[in-house]
Amino acid sequence: MSTPHPARGLAGSIQRVTASALGPYQSAVIRIGFSATFLLFLLRELPHRHEMYGPDAPWHWDLARQLISGNQAFTTLMWSDSALWFEIVYGLALLSSLLLMLGWHTRAVSVVFMAGVLSLQNRSIFMGDGGDNVLHLMAIYLMLTRCGQVWSLDARRARRHGSAGYAGQAAGGRLAPGEPAGIVLWVVLGAVLAGASGAGGLGGTVWLPFLLWCLWIGQGAWWAVNRYAPRNELRTLLDVIANLAHNATLVVIMAEVCLIYATAGWYKIQGSRWQDGTALYYPLKLEYFTPWPALSDLLASSGVMVMVLSYATVIVQVAFPFTLFNRRVKNVLLGAMICEHAGIALLLGLPFFSMAMITADAVFLPTAFLAWLGGRVTTGRERLFRRRGRVPAPRAAADGREAPEPGGDGSHTLVG
């Protein structure tokens, strides 16, 4: 009786995967990090947007159209070559990045965010770097996650209303009964999706239209089931599908990060400059990658430091995927990689690449650390309001009960 049966362990694992959306804090960090990265990038390039992606780009509209006709990529900027349409797309990309970072109706806004990322990047594919490739993929993955369970306006709205059913919808950014903004978003996005599908504006792939229509139909199905049959078994089925999609996407993100580091590390091993420990010296001497010449020269002048950092980079990247089975070693290497990317941002002048990679690394951060960090931020905010003489009152549930914990009620659907 004291020995656990293998079947019980398997059943418990299946129950956990299907009954809850795991990693609420990690998915929230991914949402905030990637949306903030894209938002800051768009703001920095705001004066140069026409030369990068718009009508004044060297890779002009006709060349982009010829390329996309061959690779069948998706970009809304190919729907029209007018300057006004470009400004609308760029403005929507900015707005969706801000709203996704704040966590307002995360499911619908994540779709608009994905459209903005793919539209701009696929319009001028020669403008990006490795960080843009990571952002490209993560923008697609975010649509399948419940990334608004914590640290979002959706979660705040859930706590304010308090009821378990409404909280489960709002925390996931779902279409809730009596929520006019969500209903308007659903109708508008459905009309745009129908028009784009009819005009062939979703690219030449099959998976993207299929995924978008599944998300849109699933969100409408959740609204109908929760309004007219909230205790029906169909709602349970939607919960299971949503949890499986969320948890499987987190696994894919983890595998993606491991693959990035493994391939980068093993390719470095094959290079002679990495083998003799001098690889770091050369980018420190390139003017394009030296925003702080004095600091770069100081580091490059120490041969021992260059050798140690070059070898450490390879060792950390190759070893990281093998340390996932040891929590302590994994956390040490994770901290080392975050410091490495912070150094890349400072020394080589690649802040957005570093932000993207640090955000991707955050999927492996311990939940206890992220919860502690969130608590410290909340404490600091309360102290700030207290100094100003305004202390926000705790939000209790409308019926007197405490607000549900993220994912605690099990009410998760395909659109949340």
Side-chain angles (χ1 to χ4, degrees):
M1 294 294 294
S2 61
T3 303
H5 195 277
R8 295 175 184 170
L10 178 60
S13 300
I14 295 175
Q15 172 67 18
R16 185 184 181 193
V17 170
T18 57
S20 62
L22 305 176
Y25 293 99
Q26 288 82 355
S27 58
V29 171
I30 292 175
R31 183 199 85 234
I32 296 171
F34 281 109
S35 57
T37 300
F38 196 55
L39 175 63
L40 293 176
F41 174 78
L42 294 179
L43 290 175
R44 189 192 72 170
E45 302 301 338
L46 191 63
H48 316 290
R49 63 190 185 280
H50 291 155
E51 291 78 11
M52 294 187 65
Y53 306 111
D56 300 331
W59 190 256
H60 57 79
W61 195 82
D62 292 333
L63 287 175
R65 187 176 184 180
Q66 294 178 27
L67 178 64
I68 290 173
S69 65
N71 61 19
Q72 302 297 312
F74 165 77
T75 171
T76 59
L77 291 178
M78 290 295 100
W79 294 0
S80 173
D81 61 347
S82 68
L84 177 60
W85 176 244
F86 168 76
E87 297 293 351
I88 292 174
V89 173
Y90 201 92
L92 287 176
L94 275 168
L95 180 61
S96 63
S97 300
L98 176 61
L99 294 178
L100 185 61
M101 183 178 66
L102 297 176
W104 183 79
H105 289 279
T106 51
R107 182 66 68 180
V109 173
S110 66
V111 176
V112 183
F113 174 76
M114 181 276 301
V117 171
L118 268 60
S119 295
L120 294 175
Q121 290 187 355
N122 290 337
R123 166 63 177 84
S124 299
I125 62 174
F126 303 108
M127 293 292 182
D129 54 23
D132 294 301
N133 293 334
V134 176
L135 179 60
H136 189 107
L137 294 172
M138 296 301 174
I140 299 174
Y141 299 153
L142 274 173
M143 294 190 301
L144 298 173
T145 63
R146 295 187 65 243
C147 54
Q149 298 179 88
V150 297
W151 301 342
S152 66
L153 294 178
D154 289 338
R156 180 183 180 184
R157 187 169 69 251
R159 292 193 302 268
R160 179 175 297 174
H161 286 78
S163 65
Y166 189 97
Q169 302 165 64
R174 289 191 293 257
L175 185 62
E179 183 68 30
I183 296 174
V184 171
L185 277 173
W186 184 76
V187 173
V188 172
L189 291 178
V192 173
L193 184 58
S197 300
L202 295 179
T205 60
V206 176
W207 66 267
L208 182 59
F210 177 78
L211 176 61
L212 294 178
W213 276 113
C214 284
L215 290 173
W216 187 79
I217 294 173
Q219 189 163 358
W222 165 259
W223 182 87
V225 170
N226 195 71
R227 183 179 181 89
Y228 299 107
R231 302 185 182 278
N232 192 279
E233 293 183 358
L234 182 58
R235 173 177 171 176
T236 304
L237 176 62
L238 292 175
D239 293 342
V240 171
I241 294 175
N243 294 329
L244 286 175
H246 171 91
N247 297 329
T249 303
L250 283 186
V251 173
V252 171
I253 292 174
M254 294 178 182
E256 191 82 39
V257 175
C258 291
L259 186 62
I260 290 173
Y261 284 120
T263 52
W266 286 107
Y267 270 111
K268 285 182 175 66
I269 289 177
Q270 302 175 42
S272 59
R273 296 292 178 264
W274 291 99
Q275 293 175 6
D276 59 27
T278 62
L280 184 61
Y281 174 84
Y282 298 98
L284 292 175
K285 289 298 182 179
L286 293 176
E287 183 179 357
Y288 182 78
F289 292 108
T290 53
W292 312 99
L295 184 60
S296 299
D297 291 340
L298 179 63
L299 181 60
S301 63
S302 175
V304 175
M305 184 61 66
V306 169
M307 182 184 66
V308 169
L309 291 178
S310 298
Y311 285 151
T313 299
V314 176
I315 292 172
V316 168
Q317 291 182 350
V318 172
F320 178 74
F322 300 99
T323 65
L324 298 182
F325 302 100
N326 189 304
R327 182 180 303 176
R328 293 182 179 179
V329 178
K330 182 262 295 182
N331 291 338
V332 171
L333 289 188
L334 189 60
M337 287 192 301
I338 292 176
C339 292
E340 172 192 339
H341 290 301
I344 291 175
L346 178 64
L347 293 173
L348 303 183
L350 298 172
F352 300 110
F353 168 78
S354 298
M355 286 182 63
M357 291 308 304
I358 290 174
T359 302
D361 294 341
V363 72
F364 295 105
L365 287 175
T367 300
F369 169 75
L370 293 175
W372 172 85
L373 184 62
R376 299 287 74 76
V377 173
T378 302
T379 302
R381 184 189 63 183
E382 291 176 352
R383 290 178 179 176
L384 179 63
F385 279 112
R386 189 179 298 114
R387 289 177 181 177
R388 295 180 178 180
R390 296 184 294 110
V391 180
R395 296 184 179 89
D399 56 359
R401 296 176 297 178
E402 293 185 356
E405 293 294 327
D409 63 346
S411 57
H412 317 306
T413 69
L414 181 62
V415 294

